[in-house]
Amino acid sequence: MFDKNFINKLREQFPILHQQVYNQPLVYFDNAATNQKPLRVINVLSNYYCTINSNIHRGVHYLSQQATSAFEESRKSVQQFINARHAHEIIFTRGTTESINLVASSFSKKYLSKGDSIVISAMEHHSNIVPWQMACEATEAQLKVIPIDQSGTLMMDAYEKLLDANCKLVAVTHVSNTLGTINDIKTIIEIAHRHNIPVLIDGAQAVSHIKVDVQQLDCDFYCFSAHKMYAPMGIGVMYGKEKILEELPPYQGGGEMIKNVTFEKTTYNELPFKFEAGTPNVGDALALKEAIAFMNELGLGQINAWEHELLDYATQKLLEIEGVKIYGTAQQKTSVISFLLGNIHPYDAGIILDKLGIAVRTGHHCTQPLMDFFRIPGTIRVSLAVYNTREEIDALIKALLTVKTMFG
Amino acid sequence: METYTERTLTIINEFGLFTDWMDKYNFIIEMGKTMPLIDAKYKTDTYLISGCQSQVWLFAEYTGGKVCFSADSDAIITKGIVNILIRALSGLTASEIIEADMAFIDRIGLREHLSPTRSNGLNSMIKQMKLYALVFKTKYETNK
Ligand SMILES: Cc1ncc(COP(=O)(O)O)c(C=O)c1O
């Protein structure tokens, strides 16, 4: 399916890719930070503002009805995308960060107290560390960390030992943004549930690469950002099981989330609105639905197969360069490669790669504890998406050889 | 002793020789290698300018009315850039440093290193150097 013709056609849908930076053709390999948007997604966004923009759930007028039903259709498309049981289990947020903060705040208000603990892993993004640290600080609870081995794989024996009677929640990432490791979250969830502990999954790096089925996984919360799945920035999702969402207190107060307000008492709206205070991001929700359609039409299986072909090719080519060390060599990986080139500082390499038109991420990738574990200041991270090509990988390799001579 | 303006003109002329970005960066890398290095005993968190990408240690001394800088970084390009600043500012009086306008950075095409994503590049360095100058000036040069 992914022959040259197909990729060229596909790339035509991504206007941003066809440009030169510093007189070099752009090679965009920073897809784990945010990936690019196809025209059809951009068009939905601009169409929304050209045709039906209005505030939802409140107006009786035509536009408001149109926008409201389009917004709720988007919710349904997310529901189907991750196979949630109910549409009202899909809460729209600003992104993964807000989703996790929402759970950390509401969950800890109700369930966390002194002496309790929250279990996270050593490979978490700061977004899945700091909100829990804040919750723990506020309640005098403890944060415990599942260790990893040198390949960047979670140590499952150690994990189960952390699940004592004080543990109130497990929060782990589905896929590591730095290493690409795909965690065996099915097992992680099963083990936690055996101890009656709910599990939150940070799905930011998973949803555009692997099929997620929240019912099959049986996770209690699943959080992700639209901008990492070919949709705009500014919208994301917090999936939560109906039962647990009903028990949780609201996160923010305001319009939309209420049923009745008097100065004495407010009763809260039902799900999902209880967690969606204020005017939601309607336009981006519509664009997210389009991005989901885009991925479904390609097929996540096909996307994944192509990305793996690229991953294998890039890994092999990189390892042919003397001095390359790859961080993150787990059995199950997405198309993310973190590496260092001899003892060249990642920042130095990043600056030269940039000048050669190659966009990679350098630094700690918001996973400082992970860098401390490997005792390195950071890495060069190449993250591949469906529109990337072998030729682009060749360009990267050539550029890395230039970097090597410059700092050699 | 060259004035600040003379110094920056020299640097601008050096950079004027390069038509190619790669020559320019090779030169910056070379500059990184000739940096007046910070004494190992000052390479501690106290002298660390924190940012996200590379680490920079900067030390300043006040001797004979002049402020002298030494530094180090774990990234060579950063080191080269810091050395350019040191060549421009080190050994001037505190007032000269405080008043130095840094427009020459633009003229040598390193403006991008002022951007917030490169926060450990020039901006925080310049701020820190000027801050040192200000502290010395307040401490040694007021009410005398
Ligand atoms: C694993 C992981 N979690 C959380 C986040 C935070 O996502 P956002 O910044 O979109 O809220 C990211 C984004 O970099 C991520 O990669």
Side-chain angles (χ1 to χ4, degrees):
Chain A
M1 179 173 170
F2 279 82
D3 57 17
K4 239 195 171 88
N5 255 335
F6 185 84
I7 288 279
N8 284 340
K9 272 243 151 59
L10 180 68
R11 288 176 67 87
E12 277 169 24
Q13 295 186 50
F14 292 85
I16 200 170
L17 298 176
H18 306 279
Q19 62 178 303
Q20 304 233 319
V21 295
Y22 315 108
N23 296 317
Q24 306 277 347
L26 169 69
V27 173
Y28 188 76
F29 280 164
D30 195 16
N31 294 289
T34 194
N35 59 17
Q36 300 303 345
K37 324 304 171 198
L39 260 180
R40 55 190 281 183
V41 168
I42 300 169
N43 288 341
V44 165
L45 189 59
S46 88
N47 257 334
Y48 166 76
Y49 286 108
C50 291
T51 56
I52 58 167
N53 172 54
S54 53
N55 212 326
I56 60 167
H57 297 138
R58 346 188 153 172
V60 290
H61 59 79
Y62 180 79
L63 289 188
S64 176
Q65 286 176 33
Q66 295 283 306
T68 304
S69 59
F71 183 68
E72 291 308 322
E73 280 306 313
S74 295
R75 196 189 305 277
K76 280 188 201 138
S77 100
V78 173
Q79 176 204 352
Q80 283 158 10
F81 182 63
I82 59 170
N83 194 32
R85 187 165 284 125
H86 307 289
H88 59 250
E89 293 175 322
I90 306 299
I91 311 295
F92 283 120
T93 63
R94 279 194 299 127
T96 313
T97 304
E98 190 177 57
S99 297
I100 297 174
N101 274 282
L102 187 167
V103 180
S105 160
S106 293
F107 186 90
S108 64
K109 255 183 245 159
K110 177 130 185 182
Y111 296 110
L112 206 62
S113 47
K114 193 172 172 166
D116 289 343
S117 65
I118 299 278
V119 168
I120 62 169
S121 92
M123 63 171 88
E124 298 309 315
H125 188 280
H126 295 165
S127 292
N128 199 28
I129 303 176
V130 185
W132 301 115
Q133 259 169 353
M134 289 162 65
C136 286
E137 242 167 60
T139 54
E140 294 186 52
Q142 237 192 326
L143 198 62
K144 295 187 175 170
V145 183
I146 313 166
I148 55 171
D149 66 18
Q150 286 295 324
S151 75
T153 310
L154 291 181
M155 294 163 80
M156 296 297 272
D157 320 341
Y159 163 57
E160 189 151 13
K161 291 198 187 103
L162 297 175
L163 303 181
D164 55 24
N166 297 324
C167 177
K168 288 293 176 311
L169 183 102
V170 172
V172 290
T173 194
H174 194 165
V175 173
S176 157
N177 64 308
T178 304
L179 307 173
T181 309
I182 303 175
N183 289 318
D184 180 7
I185 54 167
K186 180 113 180 61
T187 307
I188 290 175
I189 294 162
E190 263 170 33
I191 294 176
H193 284 178
R194 254 187 260 142
H195 295 78
N196 287 320
I197 300 165
V199 181
L200 174 141
I201 301 295
D202 172 353
Q205 292 296 337
V207 279
S208 69
H209 305 286
I210 38 188
K211 179 75 194 142
V212 171
D213 181 331
V214 290
Q215 291 191 65
Q216 195 236 338
L217 288 169
D218 200 29
C219 53
D220 302 274
F221 301 100
Y222 195 96
C223 306
F224 55 98
S225 303
H227 71 91
K228 294 180 198 281
M229 47 192 286
Y230 308 100
M233 292 182 172
I235 189 160
V237 171
M238 190 276 282
Y239 157 83
K241 280 184 186 164
E242 180 186 49
K243 188 166 173 299
I244 195 161
L245 288 185
E246 275 177 348
E247 286 163 9
L248 289 187
Y251 175 47
Q252 293 173 329
E256 200 87 30
M257 54 78 74
I258 49 89
K259 196 174 264 163
N260 254 309
V261 178
T262 65
F263 285 114
E264 288 70 41
K265 179 157 180 67
T266 294
T267 48
Y268 303 127
N269 204 339
E270 60 211 28
L271 291 174
F273 311 113
K274 179 170 103 178
F275 292 106
E276 290 180 354
T279 300
N281 189 346
V282 182
D284 288 333
L286 271 51
L288 170 57
K289 180 179 169 211
E290 190 65 19
I292 289 174
F294 164 78
M295 288 193 288
N296 283 342
E297 282 165 34
L298 281 175
L300 267 173
Q302 298 284 354
I303 293 175
N304 194 289
W306 174 242
E307 287 174 347
H308 261 82
E309 214 174 303
L310 292 175
L311 173 69
D312 291 345
Y313 182 65
T315 306
Q316 177 212 328
K317 286 280 165 189
L318 278 171
L319 289 174
E320 282 170 17
I321 302 178
E322 205 194 314
V324 163
K325 177 161 166 46
I326 293 180
Y327 292 86
T329 48
Q331 289 288 319
Q332 299 292 322
K333 270 187 72 167
T334 56
S335 47
V336 168
I337 312 176
S338 254
F339 65 97
L340 283 176
L341 189 55
N343 47 20
I344 299 171
H345 196 283
Y347 182 67
D348 286 332
I351 286 179
I352 302 303
L353 289 176
D354 172 49
K355 290 284 180 202
L356 292 166
I358 296 174
V360 295
R361 177 92 182 261
T362 58
H364 54 60
H365 320 296
C366 297
T367 52
Q368 278 180 14
L370 191 56
M371 298 296 102
D372 294 343
F373 171 78
F374 286 113
R375 297 171 184 282
I376 49 177
T379 67
I380 306 164
R381 182 186 70 184
V382 169
S383 52
L384 306 160
V386 67
Y387 42 65
N388 287 129
T389 66
R390 283 171 181 265
E391 290 72 25
E392 289 179 307
I393 293 169
D394 293 337
L396 165 75
I397 299 297
K398 192 161 161 247
L400 284 170
L401 293 174
T402 306
V403 170
K404 231 184 132 181
T405 15
M406 285 182 78
F407 295 99
Chain B
M1 190 94 192
E2 275 183 314
T3 63
Y4 173 68
T5 315
E6 286 164 351
R7 289 170 173 209
T8 56
L9 273 178
T10 309
I11 297 171
I12 290 166
N13 286 336
E14 283 169 1
F15 273 85
L17 299 173
F18 309 121
T19 45
D20 184 343
W21 70 266
M22 208 181 286
D23 293 339
K24 188 163 95 184
Y25 275 86
N26 277 326
F27 179 70
I28 295 172
I29 292 167
E30 281 315 306
M31 296 271 282
K33 295 176 183 163
T34 58
M35 162 105 103
L37 277 185
I38 187 168
D39 194 317
K41 69 172 181 252
Y42 298 126
K43 222 173 139 178
T44 60
D45 282 356
T46 318
Y47 297 97
L48 186 66
I49 301 178
S50 57
C52 51
Q53 293 253 340
S54 56
Q55 300 188 295
V56 177
W57 295 267
L58 176 71
F59 181 71
E61 279 172 296
Y62 186 84
T63 39
K66 307 276 163 80
V67 183
C68 290
F69 295 104
S70 55
D72 201 359
S73 171
D74 51 354
I76 298 191
I77 290 178
T78 310
K79 223 161 135 170
I81 290 170
V82 173
N83 197 15
I84 293 168
L85 294 181
I86 290 185
R87 278 182 56 198
L89 297 174
S90 190
L92 299 177
T93 66
S95 304
E96 283 172 317
I97 293 170
I98 294 163
E99 279 150 31
D101 88 90
M102 306 303 285
F104 83 97
I105 307 259
D106 250 353
R107 304 220 10 220
I108 60 176
L110 289 183
R111 191 190 176 78
E112 68 205 53
H113 291 274
L114 288 169
S115 81
T117 55
R118 307 254 168 103
S119 53
N120 225 349
L122 287 171
N123 251 342
S124 35
M125 284 298 302
I126 295 170
K127 247 197 226 152
Q128 193 62 31
M129 291 170 108
K130 292 197 170 220
L131 194 64
Y132 270 124
L134 191 66
V135 170
F136 289 138
K137 189 178 156 86
T138 324
K139 193 163 164 194
Y140 299 114
E141 297 176 13
T142 38
N143 303 323
K144 286 216 174 131

